[in-house]
Amino acid sequence: MGAVEPVRTERLLLRRFTEQDRAPFAAINADPVVMEHYPSTLGRAESDAFVDRIESSWRERGWGLWAVEVVAPAAPDEAPGFVGYTGLWPADHVAPGLVEVGWRLAHAAWGRGYAPEAATAALRLGFDDLGLDEIVSFTVPQNANSRRVMEKIGLRHRPERDFDHPSVDPVASPHLVRHVLYAIDRATWVAHGGASEWAGEATRR
Ligand SMILES: CC(C)(COP(=O)(O)OP(=O)(O)OC[C@H]1O[C@@H](n2cnc3c(N)ncnc32)[C@H](O)[C@@H]1OP(=O)(O)O)[C@@H](O)C(=O)NCCC(=O)NCCS
């Protein structure tokens, strides 16, 4: 079960993390611009521990967050290589068994539609390979870029399911407690022809 094998999209290779990804991933997690909507940036040890959890997920569940590698750069002056993660992650704190699609990319890689392109592959994995009934995504209301990605890949805001994140400290980070929840269900995915219709229209800028 799951796509342990790498997945190729139009411009990206979605694959398991390698040891070589750890340093650039730590730089992403230490960047205050990338981490603006999180309670704090991550140090090297925290970043490495996150990679360990990601790899455990692949081993134990057969799915998780992919390392996103640009293999066909959008711009001529852009170097190929690792730019961050996109993929599926458990959201049991929202509801038992619920699965989230998520993303975090290096600032230099923003604005090229890489997150929607990779996230559409994650929806395909979740619905077509794992047989999920629903996939959600959530963030703080002020994270406009992430909400835009959710919209582009076909998720819709479900205000009645907005929630207070249980692991955010309301004293230290009151502005990061409330989360907006977006969702797409299997019927909607199928009705829109799955990835074949989202691709092109929804994943490209
Ligand atoms: C969210 C994120 C992955 C978007 O990835 P992406 O590949 O840039 O996605 P897109 O190219 O489709 O851009 C999405 C929107 O971001 C905004 N955006 C793009 N490039 C930007 C830039 N350089 N600076 C500021 N905003 C930018 C635009 O509003 C864009 O929408 P548009 O295509 O309608 O113009 C990226 O912004 C990121 O890693 N953010 C930090 C981590 C994070 O918050 N993750 C989500 C937590 S729930």
Side-chain angles (χ1 to χ4, degrees):
M1 184 176 83
V4 177
E5 295 299 315
V7 173
R8 185 60 216 269
T9 65
E10 188 182 344
R11 298 172 296 172
L12 307 171
L13 180 66
L14 309 174
R15 55 163 177 77
R16 299 276 291 267
F17 274 73
T18 66
E19 288 301 308
Q20 290 69 36
D21 299 328
R22 286 178 182 259
F25 190 50
I28 292 169
N29 289 323
D31 182 344
V33 174
V34 174
M35 301 301 282
E36 178 186 359
H37 303 295
Y38 293 87
S40 61
T41 55
L42 302 184
R44 178 64 194 249
E46 293 167 309
S47 180
D48 281 349
F50 188 13
V51 174
D52 293 343
R53 288 200 302 281
I54 291 168
E55 282 306 298
S56 294
S57 179
W58 283 105
R59 281 194 303 274
E60 291 162 15
R61 302 185 180 95
W63 51 270
L65 300 173
W66 284 302
V68 176
E69 183 177 324
V70 176
V71 290
D77 59 342
E78 184 189 345
F82 172 84
V83 291
Y85 74 70
T86 302
L88 300 177
W89 200 244
D92 293 296
H93 61 278
V94 180
L98 198 60
V99 173
E100 165 197 13
V101 57
W103 36 75
R104 185 181 301 169
L105 300 184
H107 188 211
W110 291 10
R112 299 184 166 133
Y114 291 148
E117 183 172 322
T120 298
L123 295 183
R124 190 181 307 127
L125 168 65
F127 287 124
D128 297 351
D129 296 344
L130 305 180
L132 300 177
D133 291 326
E134 181 184 52
I135 296 173
V136 300
S137 194
F138 43 83
T139 188
V140 293
Q142 56 272 30
N143 191 347
N145 295 359
S146 196
R147 295 180 70 160
R148 180 82 185 108
V149 174
M150 295 173 198
E151 294 275 355
K152 284 187 186 185
I153 64 171
L155 278 69
R156 292 295 171 259
H157 187 199
R158 299 285 301 277
E160 75 283 6
R161 294 170 70 184
D162 290 354
F163 66 99
D164 292 343
H165 203 294
S167 61
V168 177
D169 181 343
V171 176
S173 308
H175 60 298
L176 301 179
V177 172
R178 196 67 183 159
H179 276 59
V180 289
L181 186 140
Y182 284 63
I184 181 171
D185 61 20
R186 163 179 292 286
T188 304
W189 171 258
V190 171
H192 285 82
S196 59
E197 183 165 319
W198 301 121
E201 168 201 331
T203 67
R204 303 300 305 272
R205 284 166 57 81

